Amino acid sequence: MQHLPIRVLVVDDSDIIRRLLTEILNSDPGIVVVGTAADAFEAKALVNKLQPDVITLDVEMPEVDGIRFLEVLMKFRPTPVIMISTLTRSKADITLRALELGAVDYIAKPIVDDIAVFQRYSGTVINKVKMAAKSHVGHATKPPKAPVQLASRTNRVIAIGASTGGTEAIAHVLQQLPASHFAVVMTQHMPAGFTTTYADRLTRNTGFTVIEAQGGELVRPGYAYLAPGGYHMRVKRKGNELYTEVFDGEKVSGHKPSVDVLFDSVASEIGKFAMATLLTGMGKDGAQGLKNIQNSGGFTVAQDESTCVVFGMPRAAIELGAADAVAPLDKIGETLIESLAPKSEN
C-alpha cells in the first residue's frame, strides 16, 4: 500500500527560514509542505483549512508568540509540533515550556540566517518531521499521584534514560517517587546549554534536588543527577560510596550523552541493587544497557507504547527481553517501588 506524504505546515516570521525549511522538507519524497505562515493568525487559518500532519513552529513571532499559539493548538486541535528555536541558554526555558505544553521536539535555528548553516541540519530536520508524524500527541497524561511513603529508607539508586518526549516523562516519574528514599541518575538526550535549565526546572517541579552533574558528586538520596549536554555520565564506586563521573568521548549508540553508557555503569557498579527505567525516545539507546542491568540482577521497567511520545527506545528494550515490567507513565514509580516488596514464597 502506498503511503501518502507527510503534510507539513511551516510557521515562521522569517521569510528566509520559511523558504529554507520548505526547500529542505520538499526535497524528501515522503514529505510535502502544504503551506507556510508568517504569524499565528495566518497559521490558525491554515491549520483549520489544511489540517497538516506536522507543524514546524517558530518560538519567537510578533504579537502572538509560538508558545501561546502552541498552547491554544494543543487544546483545540492537537497536532505534532516541532519547535524552531535558537538553542541558546536564554531560550532553553522557553523551549522546555513548549515541550511541557506538548511539542514533540525542537530544531536549532541558526542565529544568522545562513543557508549553508541550516542545510547542514537538513537530514535532522527531515528525520524529526518523520518521527513527529508517527508520534502520539493529545493523549491525556494523568497527573502523578502523591509519592508513596515507604516505611523504611531504601537508599536505592534508580537510573532513568529518555529521549524524545522524555523531558516531561522524567518529571512525571520523579514526581511519583519519595525523594528521601532514592537517589536518581539519569540521561536525557539534550544539547549543551539545555541541561542546566532543565535541572533547575525539575528541582522546582519535583521533590528532588536535581543537579547537572559535573563529575565527582556523591550520589545520595533526595538528589537526582543529570548527564550534562554533550558529555557522557557514568557512576563509579569508591569503597561503599557511589560517585558521578563525567567525560567526553565518541558518541555511543548514536548519542552523547548516551543512556547505554550510564546504564552499563549502573549494571557493573550497583548490580542487583539497581533499578532502572527506559522511557520514551527514538532509536535504541539504552536497550542493551537495560538488559545489562537486568542480567546483573537489577529490576528494569520500560514505558508502555500507549503513553510514549515515541515508542522507539522502550520497544527496542522490550524486544530484547530487557524489561522485567512494562508500565504506563503514571505507574512507573509505583512499579519500581512495588519491586522492593518482599516476595511471598508459595
Side-chain angles (χ1 to χ4, degrees), residues 251-290:
K251 290 182 178 180
V252 176
S253 303
H255 297 278
K256 187 172 67 171
S258 165
V259 179
D260 273 328
V261 168
L262 175 62
F263 281 8
D264 286 350
S265 71
V266 167
S268 63
E269 299 295 295
I270 305 175
K272 66 180 181 180
F273 297 107
M275 307 167 76
T277 182
L278 191 59
L279 306 177
T280 173
M282 182 169 57
K284 60 180 182 180
D285 185 29
Q288 185 58 56
L290 197 72

Side-chain angles (χ1 to χ4, degrees), residues 7-12 18 33-56 69 73 77 79:
R7 305 171 75 257
V8 180
L9 173 64
V10 173
V11 183
D12 202 295
R18 290 198 304 276
V33 175
V34 293
T36 65
D39 58 43
F41 302 105
E42 191 177 357
K44 179 183 176 183
L46 289 178
V47 166
N48 293 330
K49 177 183 177 182
L50 301 174
Q51 299 187 3
D53 301 313
V54 177
I55 299 171
T56 69
F69 177 79
L73 177 74
R77 193 185 186 280
T79 305

Side-chain angles (χ1 to χ4, degrees), residues 154-170:
T154 65
N155 290 341
R156 289 294 189 97
V157 176
I158 297 175
I160 301 175
S163 186
T164 308
T167 54
E168 288 309 296
I170 286 175

Side-chain angles (χ1 to χ4, degrees), residues 131-299:
M131 175 272 300
K134 298 176 183 177
S135 66
H136 300 97
V137 298
H139 56 67
T141 301
K142 296 178 183 176
K145 300 174 184 176
V148 176
Q149 298 303 313
L150 300 180
S152 60
R153 285 186 178 275
T154 65
N155 290 341
R156 289 294 189 97
V157 176
I158 297 175
I160 301 175
S163 186
T164 308
T167 54
E168 288 309 296
I170 286 175
H172 276 272
V173 173
L174 293 182
Q175 287 166 345
Q176 295 165 34
L177 299 170
S180 61
H181 291 73
F182 296 101
V184 176
V185 290
M186 52 198 188
T187 292
Q188 159 74 39
H189 295 159
M190 297 186 98
F194 264 44
T195 39
T196 302
T197 303
Y198 181 49
D200 292 344
R201 194 177 192 92
L202 288 174
T203 296
R204 294 195 302 268
N205 296 331
T206 73
F208 287 84
T209 299
V210 182
I211 295 171
E212 180 193 46
Q214 302 300 308
E217 290 95 354
L218 174 65
V219 177
R220 52 197 174 120
Y223 289 79
Y225 306 86
L226 177 67
Y231 290 88
H232 295 302
M233 182 181 76
R234 60 191 172 203
V235 294
K236 199 75 175 173
R237 183 174 294 281
K238 297 178 184 176
N240 292 325
E241 305 286 8
L242 199 68
Y243 292 85
T244 64
E245 187 171 274
V246 171
F247 64 101
D248 202 351
E250 298 298 319
K251 290 182 178 180
V252 176
S253 303
H255 297 278
K256 187 172 67 171
S258 165
V259 179
D260 273 328
V261 168
L262 175 62
F263 281 8
D264 286 350
S265 71
V266 167
S268 63
E269 299 295 295
I270 305 175
K272 66 180 181 180
F273 297 107
M275 307 167 76
T277 182
L278 191 59
L279 306 177
T280 173
M282 182 169 57
K284 60 180 182 180
D285 185 29
Q288 185 58 56
L290 197 72
K291 182 65 174 175
N292 293 343
I293 291 173
Q294 183 190 58
N295 288 343
S296 71
F299 181 76

Side-chain angles (χ1 to χ4, degrees), residues 45-159:
L46 289 178
V47 166
N48 293 330
K49 177 183 177 182
L50 301 174
Q51 299 187 3
D53 301 313
V54 177
I55 299 171
T56 69
L57 179 60
D58 186 16
V59 168
E60 297 178 286
M61 294 189 296
E63 296 187 62
V64 177
D65 64 24
I67 296 296
R68 178 57 186 153
F69 177 79
L70 177 67
E71 192 171 12
V72 174
L73 177 74
M74 286 304 174
K75 285 180 181 177
F76 296 102
R77 193 185 186 280
T79 305
V81 171
I82 296 176
M83 303 304 294
I84 308 296
S85 170
T86 48
L87 297 188
T88 61
R89 176 78 178 274
S90 62
K91 299 295 187 297
D93 201 56
I94 298 172
T95 306
L96 288 169
R97 173 62 180 155
L99 296 175
E100 184 180 292
L101 289 171
V104 173
D105 209 340
Y106 51 87
I107 293 170
K109 181 178 184 178
I111 296 173
V112 178
D113 291 340
D114 183 340
I115 188 168
V117 172
F118 211 65
Q119 284 185 329
R120 283 209 307 269
Y121 298 98
S122 60
T124 298
V125 173
I126 289 168
N127 287 338
K128 289 197 174 189
V129 165
K130 288 182 174 180
M131 175 272 300
K134 298 176 183 177
S135 66
H136 300 97
V137 298
H139 56 67
T141 301
K142 296 178 183 176
K145 300 174 184 176
V148 176
Q149 298 303 313
L150 300 180
S152 60
R153 285 186 178 275
T154 65
N155 290 341
R156 289 294 189 97
V157 176
I158 297 175

